[in-house]
Amino acid sequence: MGNIADKTIYQIYLRSFYDSNGDGVGDLPGITAKLDYLENLGVDLIWINPFYPSPQNDNGYDISDYTGVDPRFGTMEDFDTLVREAKKRSIGVMIDLVLNHTSTEHEWFQKALQGHPKYRDFYYFKKGKGDLPPTNWASKFGGSAWEKLASSDDFYLHLFDVTQADLNWSNPEVREALYQVVDFWTQKGIAGLRLDVLNLISKPDKLEDDFIGDGRRFYTDGPHIHEYLKELHAKTFGKKGLITVGEMSSTSIANSIRYSNPAEKELSMVFHFHHLKVDYKDGEKWQLDQVRFAELKELFHTWQVDMASGNGWDALFWNNHDQPRALGRFTSDKPEFHYQAATLLAATIHLMRGTPYIYMGEEIGMINPRFKDIQSYSDIETINHYQLLQKEGLSERETMEVIQARSRDNSRIPMQWENDAKAGFTTGTPLYPVSDSVSWINVQDALREPDSIFYFYKKLIEIRKTHSVIQFGNYTPYLVDEERIISYLRENEEATLLAIHYYGETPHEIPLPEAFLQGKILLSNVKRSQLAKQITLQSYETLAILLPK
Ligand code: TEU
């Protein structure tokens, strides 16, 4: 698969990236139109969220045909053109496959409903306990994970929306059918795969009630998961050396090492989410809390150190289409701190051990839009939880505070290309409302300003390629007692790198180790040019010092 340590991957939420035909929805030709922009940034791969035929109840994560293109996003020819044009610019295309579930509109599920025994066994159909579901498991989008069929006493399992039925991976025919899907896209010249909720595919042989949780402990990193991934690797992408990343919900370090250690022959790397739960109250996404920095730091350090010692490989990220923007979440998003805070977040993860991901708009410092009313939101999880929160007795104002902070739509609004009412995203009516921040956060301005966030990202991508210590250096936590500082040393045979990232707004003095006073400032977001035994960090300062050997 080549070196994954020198690469940076850019995630494109297709429907909101760029609309080429004025229907208000981003599309595949829209990505092709912006490839020069991505080449300028310097990214190696683009991960594109699902574009397959789908009723779009969960924005394409409810696939009804695995080997087609949804007409609202273009045609198969558009996809081929995109792959070809991207290749010309040395950019690989990473597609997003959802192998844990299909839409209930998928032919397989429809045949199952008609009573076709072969397809019945493609899913989890079980008898309930009278009117009660077979188990008490919860759907991740709220409510029960089981839905009763109108026509019989059977229920089917859906860990996500009621229109997303979980596939039965213990059935070899299901696995074979899915491998054919992977092969289909591999033959189209893709460079990689992002695999949705991949660690949920192996359910236990016996499905039981969970009396201490919502059921996830039974199917997360489930009993046959490593077996299935080894088979998937051997039968499909392993032969082609594709770059693969598994989205691993609530996983553990031990499992993540097995998923991503090359010797295991499973995947190239893993997404894990613990660092994005440090502002959940008691683990609850829909309950607000302050960011617990000590916990955040501890998580980064532990994962970095342990993954390295087990030869695992991390996907490094702050943002994606399911998360509110990190800017404004872990830092201020006020204009006066914009450049510093955005570049601080970027440097924090880009200098770590792993492969960094940039979520569209992050490279210009896009922020959460904080829409005032629920009508501006459309995500199914958001709407479900709006109703649940109201049922729990929260006032409209309290409910909206939670929605503004947590809704997945925060990152799904149109990419801000230009300062106009449609953000330069479309000539039609954009599918999502445009954020007011477009007046001061947009690509046009970012490209014009030599000191913009965009050029800082470009530099991060470049220095990862030119400094092997960033790619392969070992990782040692540093300044661990400073609550608001995430700092670490990276070291290999060529150099030592000291990175200091300060998550505070007031100036803060720290000592620098003697040896580094002779080092070179590789990166600074405050134009620091001098080093001294004691330095005073400025608001949201990031500093990286390189000491060649
Ligand atoms: O997400 C899986 C997942 O569990 C989440 O990130 C989830 O959206 C979040 O925890 C809810 O609070 C993946 C996709 O990224 C997401 O967009 C899909 O909705 C989901 O799978 C189902 O396919």
Side-chain angles (χ1 to χ4, degrees):
M1 94 188 79
N3 183 9
I4 50 169
D6 68 351
K7 297 197 172 31
T8 301
I9 303 180
Y10 187 91
Q11 183 192 348
I12 295 178
Y13 200 60
L14 173 68
R15 52 171 52 220
S16 315
F17 186 63
Y18 185 60
D19 172 19
S20 73
N21 61 358
D23 65 358
V25 185
D27 45 42
L28 293 170
I31 303 180
T32 307
K34 295 294 183 185
L35 283 172
D36 289 340
Y37 169 75
L38 298 170
E39 186 185 21
N40 180 12
L41 180 60
V43 295
D44 300 280
L45 287 114
I46 48 175
W47 149 26
I48 307 170
N49 288 94
F51 49 78
Y52 324 98
S54 157
Q56 304 289 333
N57 291 325
D58 186 23
N59 293 3
Y61 284 91
D62 45 333
I63 300 176
S64 55
D65 172 4
Y66 279 112
T67 53
V69 171
D70 192 304
R72 78 193 80 200
F73 300 128
T75 62
M76 193 55 92
E77 213 184 325
D78 293 330
F79 179 79
D80 294 335
T81 307
L82 170 59
V83 171
R84 205 172 49 241
E85 287 299 315
K87 228 173 240 168
K88 280 189 199 158
R89 294 163 178 84
S90 304
I91 297 174
V93 171
M94 177 182 252
I95 63 163
D96 192 335
L97 278 179
V98 190
L99 305 181
N100 177 68
H101 46 265
T102 70
S103 163
T104 48
E105 287 185 19
H106 194 286
E107 195 192 345
W108 299 339
F109 192 83
Q110 287 302 314
K111 285 192 172 153
L113 282 187
Q114 289 153 19
H116 202 305
K118 168 175 160 157
Y119 292 103
R120 199 79 175 175
D121 209 26
F122 266 44
Y123 297 90
Y124 285 94
F125 285 98
K126 297 266 178 241
K127 288 258 165 300
K129 303 169 189 157
D131 262 356
L132 287 175
T135 70
N136 64 354
W137 299 359
S139 152
K140 288 177 190 281
F141 288 166
S144 169
W146 294 95
E147 180 71 7
K148 189 168 176 304
L149 297 182
S151 52
S152 77
D153 288 343
D154 281 352
F155 288 71
Y156 66 88
L157 179 67
H158 63 91
L159 295 183
F160 293 89
D161 186 50
V162 56
T163 62
Q164 292 166 299
D166 281 61
L167 284 163
N168 174 12
W169 269 71
S170 69
N171 177 351
E173 281 187 275
V174 168
R175 303 204 297 274
E176 209 41 62
L178 294 175
Y179 301 157
Q180 280 174 24
V181 170
V182 177
D183 282 346
F184 172 87
W185 290 104
T186 305
Q187 278 159 22
K188 294 215 148 269
I190 57 164
L193 290 158
R194 181 264 188 191
L195 296 156
D196 192 59
V197 290
L198 195 60
N199 65 330
L200 309 187
I201 57 175
S202 172
K203 276 72 173 179
D205 299 333
K206 192 162 176 270
L207 308 185
E208 293 170 293
D209 280 335
D210 187 355
F211 296 111
I212 56 170
D214 61 5
R216 74 180 60 192
R217 68 194 170 103
F218 294 134
Y219 56 74
T220 300
D221 303 319
H224 302 288
I225 184 69
H226 295 287
E227 209 178 291
Y228 293 159
L229 294 191
K230 283 182 169 62
E231 187 181 278
L232 174 67
H233 180 285
K235 296 216 169 169
T236 64
F237 51 75
K239 297 177 280 193
K240 302 281 178 186
L242 298 195
I243 295 178
T244 53
V245 55
E247 189 205 24
M248 303 308 195
S249 176
S250 306
T251 189
S252 66
I253 295 181
N255 276 300
S256 293
I257 289 172
R258 292 181 68 188
Y259 293 139
S260 61
N261 180 328
E264 296 283 338
K265 294 195 168 39
E266 295 188 9
L267 302 167
S268 314
M269 60 189 128
V270 289
F271 282 122
H272 48 83
F273 296 89
H274 304 276
H275 65 299
L276 298 177
K277 297 183 179 172
V278 297
D279 56 358
Y280 288 11
K281 198 177 229 162
D282 306 322
E284 288 296 327
K285 170 170 175 172
W286 299 92
Q287 287 183 28
L288 304 185
D289 203 354
Q290 299 295 312
V291 173
R292 298 177 294 274
F293 277 98
E295 194 179 319
L296 177 68
K297 183 161 60 168
E298 176 66 24
L299 279 165
F300 273 135
H301 287 338
T302 310
W303 276 82
Q304 283 283 302
V305 169
D306 292 2
M307 286 290 269
S309 68
N311 204 22
W313 198 255
D314 271 323
L316 306 167
F317 72 106
W318 283 116
N319 298 295
N320 66 28
H321 63 291
D322 293 331
Q323 295 288 329
R325 298 266 177 189
L327 188 58
R329 181 175 175 191
F330 298 98
T331 66
S332 161
D333 62 3
K334 292 206 188 97
E336 63 262 42
F337 297 123
H338 190 235
Y339 175 79
Q340 248 107 296
T343 52
L344 167 78
L345 284 163
T348 304
I349 58 169
H350 280 248
L351 299 179
M352 286 181 177
R353 180 182 173 281
T355 299
Y357 285 69
I358 301 171
Y359 178 67
M360 67 175 204
E362 186 186 318
E363 76 283 13
I364 54 166
M366 276 180 64
I367 59 176
N368 295 327
R370 296 201 189 90
F371 294 129
K372 297 213 168 41
D373 48 69
I374 192 66
Q375 284 72 33
S376 304
Y377 293 86
S378 54
D379 172 37
I380 191 159
E381 188 201 32
T382 303
I383 305 303
N384 287 352
H385 281 90
Y386 173 85
Q387 282 154 5
L388 288 170
L389 291 169
Q390 299 254 293
K391 251 192 224 152
E392 282 167 22
L394 266 68
S395 70
E396 180 66 18
R397 202 178 55 83
E398 290 163 336
T399 309
M400 285 313 295
E401 242 172 66
V402 181
I403 299 293
Q404 286 169 348
R406 296 289 147 90
S407 171
R408 305 195 295 182
D409 286 336
N410 274 311
S411 53
R412 298 179 176 189
I413 57 169
M415 174 73 179
Q416 295 171 192
W417 296 103
E418 286 165 30
N419 177 14
D420 70 36
K422 295 173 179 177
F425 158 73
T426 181
T427 53
T429 308
L431 186 66
Y432 292 93
V434 168
S435 164
D436 293 342
S437 65
V438 72
S439 63
W440 59 285
I441 306 173
N442 59 72
V443 170
Q444 204 173 30
D445 290 348
L447 291 177
R448 266 192 221 128
E449 168 58 56
D451 278 334
S452 68
I453 298 166
F454 177 90
Y455 291 110
F456 191 92
Y457 269 88
K458 189 175 159 111
K459 181 165 184 191
L460 283 171
I461 296 168
E462 267 164 28
I463 61 173
R464 169 165 284 270
K465 292 202 182 303
T466 46
H467 294 281
S468 66
V469 67
I470 302 176
Q471 298 174 37
F472 303 113
N474 61 19
Y475 180 103
T476 313
Y478 190 67
L479 293 175
V480 284
D481 295 329
E482 295 273 2
E483 190 183 349
R484 294 216 163 219
I485 295 180
I486 298 175
S487 175
Y488 43 85
L489 289 157
R490 306 286 317 276
E491 185 172 9
N492 74 348
E493 57 293 342
E494 278 179 19
T496 310
L497 179 83
L498 170 61
I500 300 172
H501 313 290
Y502 175 47
Y503 284 77
E505 272 176 26
T506 47
H508 184 77
E509 197 172 291
I510 53 155
L512 281 185
E514 199 74 42
F516 281 91
L517 301 184
Q518 315 312 320
K520 171 183 167 224
I521 298 180
L522 183 65
L523 206 65
S524 163
N525 64 351
V526 297
K527 297 207 159 95
R528 185 177 289 281
S529 58
Q530 302 276 310
L531 298 173
K533 272 191 192 160
Q534 293 284 324
I535 59 167
T536 304
L537 295 172
Q538 299 176 33
S539 323
Y540 300 114
E541 176 167 352
T542 187
L543 170 67
I545 311 171
L546 186 77
L547 198 63
K549 289 215 167 134

